[in-house]
Amino acid sequence: MTTLATSPPTSSVTGVGHLLRLVLRRDRVRLPLWVVGLGGTIVASALAVPPLYDTPEKIAGYARTVGASPVSYLMSGRQVGLDTLGGIVANEISQVAQLGVCLMVVFLVVRHTRAEEESGRAELLRSTVLGRHAATLAGLVYGVAAALLIGAVTTTSMLAAGLDTSGSLTYGTGLALLGVAYTAVTLVAVQLSTSARGALGLAGAAVAVGYLVRGLGAMEDNALVWLSPFGWAQGMDAFGDERWWPAALLLALTALLLGLAARLMAHRDFGGGLLQTRPGPARAGWQLSTPFGVATRLQRGLLIGWAVGLFLLGLLYGAVIPTVPDLIASNPEMADVVGAGGQDAEDAIVDAFLAYIFLFMAVIACGFVVASVLRLRAEEEAGRTESVLATPVSRTSWMAATTALALVAAAKLTVIMGLGLAVGYGLGSGEWDRVLPQVGGQLAYLPGTLVVGALAVALFGLRPRATGLAWAAVALIALQVILGQLLGLPDAVQAISPFWHLAAVPVEDFEVVPYVSLLLLAGALVAAGLWGYRRRDAVAG
C-alpha cells in the first residue's frame, strides 16, 4: 500500500494522486476484467456484424425489418442510419454497450467511495494526509477514465471494422459521455445512501429508469426519449446526420449532478448519508428468532426491489406482444427469419419473441440469486457472521437458511415475472386467457437460474475468495443469450450456459429430462457448498 505522510492536509483534495494509485492497484484485476469483458464483447460484435451484411440487399432487408420493430425500439432505441453498415453495427451493440458502461461505472465508483466509508477503510486513510473530498474526486476521475476507455475501445473497434470515421467517433463519444453522466449520478447516490447496497440500488434504479424511458419514447416516437441520457447519447445520430449538441446535454447534466454531489457531501457526516435508516425496535420479534427470519430481514429490501422491478419489466414486455403481429403485416420477410410462412408466421414470431423474453428475464433473475447468495460473503467479510455463529445457530443452518431464501425467492420472482408478462399482455390486447401459459413458460427456465445460484453457493462454501466467478458466470450467460447467435459461438461454448440445455418454450415442447437434470445439478452444488462451509474457517475480506 502506498504510504502517505502524516502532516495535516493542505486542501480538501490533497492526496488524490496517491488515492488513485491505490485504487488502480486494488483494481488491477477487476478493471481489466471489465474492459476485456465489456470492451471485448463490443469489439467482437463490431467485427462480426459486417460479414453478415455484405450486400446492399441484406442491408436493405435489415433496415426494413429491424427499422419497423417495436422490440428493437424498446431494446436499442431508434438508431438512425439502419440502411448503412455503421447504423446496423451501432444498433446491434447499443444494448450491451450502453447498459454495460453505465453498470460498470456504478459498480466501480460505489466500490471506491461508499463501500470504503462503510468498511471503515476510508476513515483509516483520512487519518493520514487526505483531504475531505479526495475520495470523491478520485472516484470521479476513476469512473470518467473507465468510461472514456470503453468509448475509445468502441471507436477503435468500429474503425477496425471499416466503418465511417465520423460516425465511429460520434458513437464512441456519446457512449463515453453516457458513462460519465452516470458516474455523476452514482456520486449523488453515494451521498444519499448510508450503505454501498443502498447506493448501488439508487444508481441502478437511475440506470433502469433512463433505459426504460428511452425505450418507451422510442416505441411511441415521442418527446419522452429526450428525458433520458440514453436518448441524448443516441440523439447524436451516429452514422446519420451527426449532431453534437446532445453531447452538451450530457455534459450539462454531469456538471449539474457533480455540483449537487459536492453540496450534499458538504452537508453530511463522514460515514453517514442524507437518507438515514430508521432505528429498529429495542426488542426483536419472533420472526428474527430463526436463521431464516434473520436472512429474510437482511434481504427484505433486495427482495422487494427485485420483485417490483421484474414485475414492471414483465409488464412492459407483455404490453409489447400484441404489437408483434403488426411487424408481420408491414414486413412479410420476417416469416423467413423464423422459417414460417402464411398464417403460421404470426404465431411463430410471437412464440419466438416469447421464448427470447422468457430467457432474457431468467438471465436477469440470475443477477438476483447471485446477489442474494453472496450476501453470505458480505456478512462474513464484515465480521457479522461470527456474531450469529456465537449463538446456538450452527454453520449449516445459517448457510442453509440464506440459500433456501435465495432459491425460493428466485422461484417466486419467476412467477412474478410471468404474471407481469400476462398482465401486460392482457392490458395490451384485452385478452386475459394467457396467464397460466405465460407463467408456465417462465417457469420452464427456472432450473437455469437455480443452477447459477447453486454455483454461487458452492463457490462460497468451497472457495470463498473466488465468489466473483459467480458474477463472471452471469456475464458469460448474458453474453451467450444476447450475442451468442450473432457471434456464432460454437456449441461447446454455448453449452456452458445451463439455459442452453433447456427447451426453448414455447417454440419447442417442454422436455422433462434436462429440466430434472439441472434441478439435480443445482442440488448437488448446494450440497457441496454446505459441505465445504462446515469444514473451512471464516475468511475475512
Side-chain angles (χ1 to χ4, degrees):
M1 177 184 296
T2 303
T3 303
L4 300 176
T6 55
S7 57
T10 57
S11 76
S12 61
V13 295
T14 298
V16 169
H18 292 282
L19 205 52
L20 275 172
R21 286 196 289 274
L22 176 61
V23 166
L24 291 174
R25 178 179 171 78
R26 289 187 61 208
D27 278 7
R28 60 188 181 278
V29 175
R30 189 179 298 257
L31 181 60
L33 284 178
W34 270 109
V35 174
V36 172
L38 178 57
T41 301
I42 294 172
V43 170
S45 304
L47 296 178
V49 169
L52 299 176
Y53 299 94
D54 53 355
T55 65
E57 291 76 16
K58 291 179 180 178
I59 293 176
Y62 183 93
R64 283 197 304 274
T65 54
V66 178
S69 169
V71 180
S72 177
Y73 295 155
L74 181 62
M75 300 291 188
S76 304
R78 286 182 178 265
Q79 175 64 44
V80 300
L82 290 180
D83 55 349
T84 67
L85 200 53
I88 294 175
V89 171
N91 192 60
E92 289 294 326
I93 70 173
S94 283
Q95 187 181 7
V96 171
Q98 292 185 337
L99 285 177
V101 74
C102 292
L103 293 177
M104 178 189 71
V105 297
V106 166
F107 280 104
L108 293 180
V109 172
V110 169
R111 168 177 162 81
H112 293 289
T113 51
R114 173 54 63 184
E116 290 296 283
E117 288 192 37
E118 190 177 12
S119 67
R121 285 190 289 266
E123 187 174 14
L124 179 65
L125 288 173
R126 287 190 63 182
S127 66
T128 64
V129 184
L130 202 64
R132 174 179 176 82
H133 300 301
T136 302
L137 183 57
L140 170 64
V141 173
Y142 185 47
V144 169
L148 292 177
L149 184 57
I150 293 298
V153 168
T154 303
T155 299
T156 304
S157 65
M158 287 181 160
L159 292 174
L163 303 183
D164 176 66
T165 302
S166 177
S168 301
L169 181 62
T170 303
Y171 187 86
T173 303
L175 181 64
L177 291 179
L178 180 65
V180 171
Y182 273 98
T183 298
V185 170
T186 307
L187 287 174
V188 172
V190 165
Q191 313 311 318
L192 294 175
S193 176
T194 58
S195 68
R197 285 185 295 113
L200 286 173
L202 291 173
V207 173
V209 169
Y211 179 71
L212 289 177
V213 166
R214 191 278 305 269
L216 292 173
M219 285 182 64
E220 299 296 330
D221 196 17
N222 58 27
L224 196 62
V225 71
W226 291 106
L227 296 180
S228 166
F230 285 83
W232 301 345
Q234 194 166 43
M236 294 175 69
D237 286 352
F239 302 104
D241 297 328
E242 284 125 16
R243 50 190 181 184
W244 287 84
W245 62 263
L249 296 177
L250 289 166
L251 291 173
L253 176 66
T254 301
L256 179 66
L257 291 172
L258 290 179
L260 177 61
R263 184 172 180 80
L264 294 177
M265 186 174 182
H267 289 81
R268 71 172 178 89
D269 294 331
F270 181 78
L274 295 179
L275 300 177
Q276 295 293 329
T277 56
R278 292 181 304 172
R283 298 182 64 84
W286 64 269
Q287 300 92 336
L288 298 180
S289 62
T290 64
F292 189 82
V294 174
T296 303
R297 177 64 184 85
L298 288 174
Q299 300 196 32
R300 184 175 59 182
L302 180 73
L303 292 171
I304 295 174
W306 275 88
V308 172
L310 291 178
F311 179 80
L312 293 177
L313 185 63
L315 195 71
L316 188 61
Y317 285 140
V320 169
I321 295 174
T323 68
V324 173
D326 295 337
L327 180 64
I328 297 297
S330 60
N331 297 279
E333 293 87 352
M334 284 297 293
D336 298 332
V337 176
V338 297
Q343 295 299 319
D344 294 331
E346 290 188 6
D347 292 338
I349 286 288
V350 170
D351 287 348
F353 177 76
L354 277 172
Y356 179 80
I357 294 303
F358 286 151
L359 180 57
F360 184 70
M361 291 200 296
V363 173
I364 292 178
C366 290
F368 159 78
V369 75
V370 169
S372 180
V373 169
L374 294 189
R375 185 61 190 270
L376 283 166
R377 177 65 178 148
E379 293 297 312
E380 190 176 64
E381 287 181 318
R384 290 188 288 267
T385 299
E386 294 181 1
S387 300
V388 175
L389 298 181
T391 67
V393 175
S394 67
R395 281 171 163 261
T396 301
S397 61
W398 171 241
M399 184 174 173
T402 302
T403 301
L405 172 68
L407 300 184
V408 171
K412 290 181 178 178
L413 288 179
T414 300
V415 174
I416 288 172
M417 288 187 292
L419 285 173
L421 200 66
V423 172
Y425 180 82
L427 291 174
S429 66
E431 300 177 11
W432 295 92
D433 58 344
R434 302 290 184 93
V435 176
L436 289 178
Q438 288 175 358
V439 172
Q442 191 65 65
L443 284 170
Y445 296 83
L446 177 61
T449 304
L450 297 182
V451 167
V452 176
L455 174 64
V457 174
L459 288 170
F460 173 73
L462 298 170
R463 294 288 184 273
R465 295 190 185 279
T467 49
L469 291 176
W471 286 114
V474 176
L476 183 62
I477 291 170
L479 175 66
Q480 184 266 329
V481 170
I482 296 174
L483 296 173
Q485 186 175 3
L486 176 65
L487 299 178
L489 296 177
D491 288 350
V493 175
Q494 299 204 57
I496 296 175
S497 169
F499 296 102
W500 189 80
H501 302 276
L502 294 170
V505 176
V507 175
E508 300 173 355
D509 293 334
F510 176 77
E511 296 180 12
V512 176
V513 173
Y515 196 91
V516 174
S517 299
L518 289 181
L519 289 178
L520 293 175
L521 175 61
L525 289 171
V526 169
L530 291 171
W531 179 84
Y533 188 56
R534 291 180 58 190
R535 286 161 175 76
R536 71 168 175 84
D537 295 328
V539 180

